[in-house]
Amino acid sequence: MLQHFHVNTPLLESVSMSKMAGTAVYLKMENCQPSGSFKIRGVGHLCQQVGAPSLCGNAGMAAAYVARKMGLPATVVVPSSTPPLVVRRLQEQGAAVKVAGKVWDDANAEALRLAETEQLTFVPPFDHPLLWEGHASVVAEAAAALGPGARPGAVLLSVGGGGLLCGVVCGLKDAGWADVPVIAMETVGADCFNAAIKAGELVTLDDITSEAKCLGAKTVCRRAFELSQSGEATIISELVTDQEALRAVQMFLDEERVLVEMACGAALAAIYSGLIPRLQAQGRLPTPLRPLLVIVCGGSSINMEQLISLQQKLQS
Ligand code: PLV
C-alpha cells in the first residue's frame, strides 16, 4: 500500500471570521501539515510516483520532508529572497540547499539545469497533474468533515503558480461541487494569475515586488489559466496589497493564535478586508451565502523575527 505523507488536517469554524463574512467560515488548517503547508499533499503524491526530489520554497520543504521519509537525498534550490530561517529548516530536514537567482523563476531554472546535468529527478512545485491530484485530497477531507449534504458557498485560497488552484478544482469536481466558486487571491506584485486573466493570455511578470515571495511565480501554470477561461470552474480572481496580507497574518495570529506566512495572508485577507460582502454587493456571490471554506495554506517562511521585519518594511 502506498504510504501517505500528509496528515488529515483539522477543519475549524472561526467565530470571528464568520462574523466578518456574514456566513460560517471553516478553516482547513494546512499549516498543521508536517512540512508546514499543503504542498506535502501534491509533492508526497508525486514523489511516490517519480522518486528523489530537487526543488524550492514551501514545495521544497515538502520535498525535503518526503525525501527524508523515503530515505532519499534531496537538493532544494531556493532564490536569494528566501529568509535564512527557511534555509535552516530545509537543512534540518536533511536537504542540500543551493541558493540561485533572485526570485522563484531563477531558482527553478537552476533546479532544471541540475536535474539535467546531475541526473536528479526534478519535482516542479505547481505545474504537474500529479501535484494537482495530490492537492485535491484537501477538498475530499473537508467534504468528509462537513458531512453528507453540506456544500460550501465558495472556497478561498491563494495562488502562486496555480497548483493549489488546479488541485482544488479537481477536488471540487470529485466531491460533486464543481459549481462551487473558487476565490483565488494574490498580492499586488505577485499577481501572475490576475494579470493573465486581464490580458486574456499567459503573461510573465517583469519582477516580483510583493513580500509574499511564496506567491512569486512570474507565470501561472497553463492549466490554471485554462480553468479560468473554459467555464469548467467558476474562479473569482482578486488582489490584496501586501499591507492587507500582513494585517491578515497579524489578525489571524491574534484571533486564531496561528502564525502563517504572507502567501497565506493573501487568502485570509479576503475575509479580513471585507471582500466577501463586496462580492455579494456586486452580485458575484449570492446572498445569503452558504459556508465558506478557507484553505489555510500555511507556510514555513515566517517566525517572530520575520514578522517584525515585515511590519517594519510595510507599516513604516
Ligand atoms: N509556494 C511555492 C511556489 O512558489 C513554494 O515552493 O514555496 N501558499 C503557500 C504557503 C505557498 O507556499 C504557495 C506556493 C502557495 C500558497 C500557492 O500555491 P501554488 O503555487 O500552487 O499556486 C512560487
Side-chain angles (χ1 to χ4, degrees):
M1 201 185 99
L2 280 181
Q3 193 191 346
H4 259 194
F5 296 104
H6 67 265
V7 300
N8 189 336
T9 54
L11 185 73
L12 307 176
E13 187 178 354
S14 165
V15 173
S16 68
M17 290 172 105
S18 300
K19 253 194 205 147
M20 281 178 230
T23 184
V25 171
Y26 288 95
L27 304 169
K28 186 66 176 149
M29 302 298 281
E30 291 299 289
N31 59 296
C32 297
Q33 291 293 355
S35 63
S37 85
F38 72 95
K39 288 274 172 182
I40 188 81
R41 292 183 186 270
V43 171
H45 185 65
L46 189 138
C47 288
Q48 277 167 341
Q49 328 272 332
V50 301
S54 75
L55 80 187
C56 69
N58 280 319
M61 200 65 74
Y65 176 85
V66 170
R68 184 166 64 77
K69 289 285 170 188
M70 289 172 89
L72 296 169
T75 304
V76 178
V77 188
V78 295
S80 59
S81 57
T82 307
L85 83 107
V86 173
V87 174
R88 197 186 64 234
R89 284 176 181 168
L90 285 165
Q91 286 165 339
E92 275 166 14
Q93 289 288 350
V97 179
K98 182 160 187 200
V99 180
K102 187 175 158 235
V103 296
W104 176 83
D105 287 73
D106 308 330
N108 191 54
E110 174 62 11
L112 276 166
R113 194 192 64 79
L114 274 182
E116 185 81 32
T117 54
E118 301 190 14
Q119 275 84 51
L120 294 173
T121 308
F122 173 68
V123 179
F126 52 78
D127 195 2
H128 199 293
L130 287 172
L131 291 176
W132 310 332
E133 224 174 87
H135 292 338
S137 60
V138 75
V139 180
E141 265 174 32
L146 286 171
R151 194 177 184 79
V155 179
L156 276 74
L157 49 75
S158 309
V159 175
L164 177 60
L165 174 65
C166 293
V168 162
V169 169
C170 271
L172 288 173
K173 276 187 199 155
D174 295 345
W177 291 348
D179 58 339
V180 171
V182 179
I183 305 178
M185 302 297 299
E186 293 171 290
T187 50
V188 175
D191 48 358
C192 60
F193 181 56
N194 191 267
I197 292 176
K198 281 183 184 147
E201 59 182 354
L202 283 179
V203 293
T204 300
L205 303 176
D206 291 338
D207 196 9
I208 301 302
T209 53
S210 166
E211 290 300 327
K213 298 297 175 201
C214 285
L215 297 186
K218 286 186 182 174
T219 316
V220 77
C221 67
R222 178 167 297 280
R223 175 74 184 141
F225 176 66
E226 281 170 3
L227 284 173
S228 74
Q229 305 295 299
S230 66
E232 278 172 82
T234 307
I235 302 174
I236 301 174
S237 164
E238 289 288 328
L239 300 180
V240 287
T241 61
D242 272 11
Q243 282 76 14
E244 286 173 308
L246 177 59
R247 175 141 176 75
V249 167
Q250 292 168 330
M251 288 183 76
F252 200 65
L253 181 58
D254 283 348
E255 296 289 332
E256 313 295 331
R257 303 158 308 284
V258 175
L259 180 60
V260 295
E261 66 174 69
M262 289 282 282
C264 183
L268 304 175
I271 307 274
Y272 289 130
S273 67
L275 176 69
I276 302 301
R278 278 205 300 281
L279 290 173
Q280 286 178 297
Q282 293 165 7
R284 295 164 74 197
L285 284 176
T287 310
L289 184 61
R290 287 190 302 263
L292 296 172
L293 175 59
V294 182
I295 312 293
V296 181
C297 45
S300 294
S301 185
I302 189 79
N303 62 6
M304 235 4 241
E305 195 186 328
Q306 184 71 12
L307 180 61
I308 292 168
S309 122
L310 285 166
Q311 286 170 331
Q312 285 166 349
K313 249 189 227 166
L314 296 173
Q315 292 175 338
S316 54

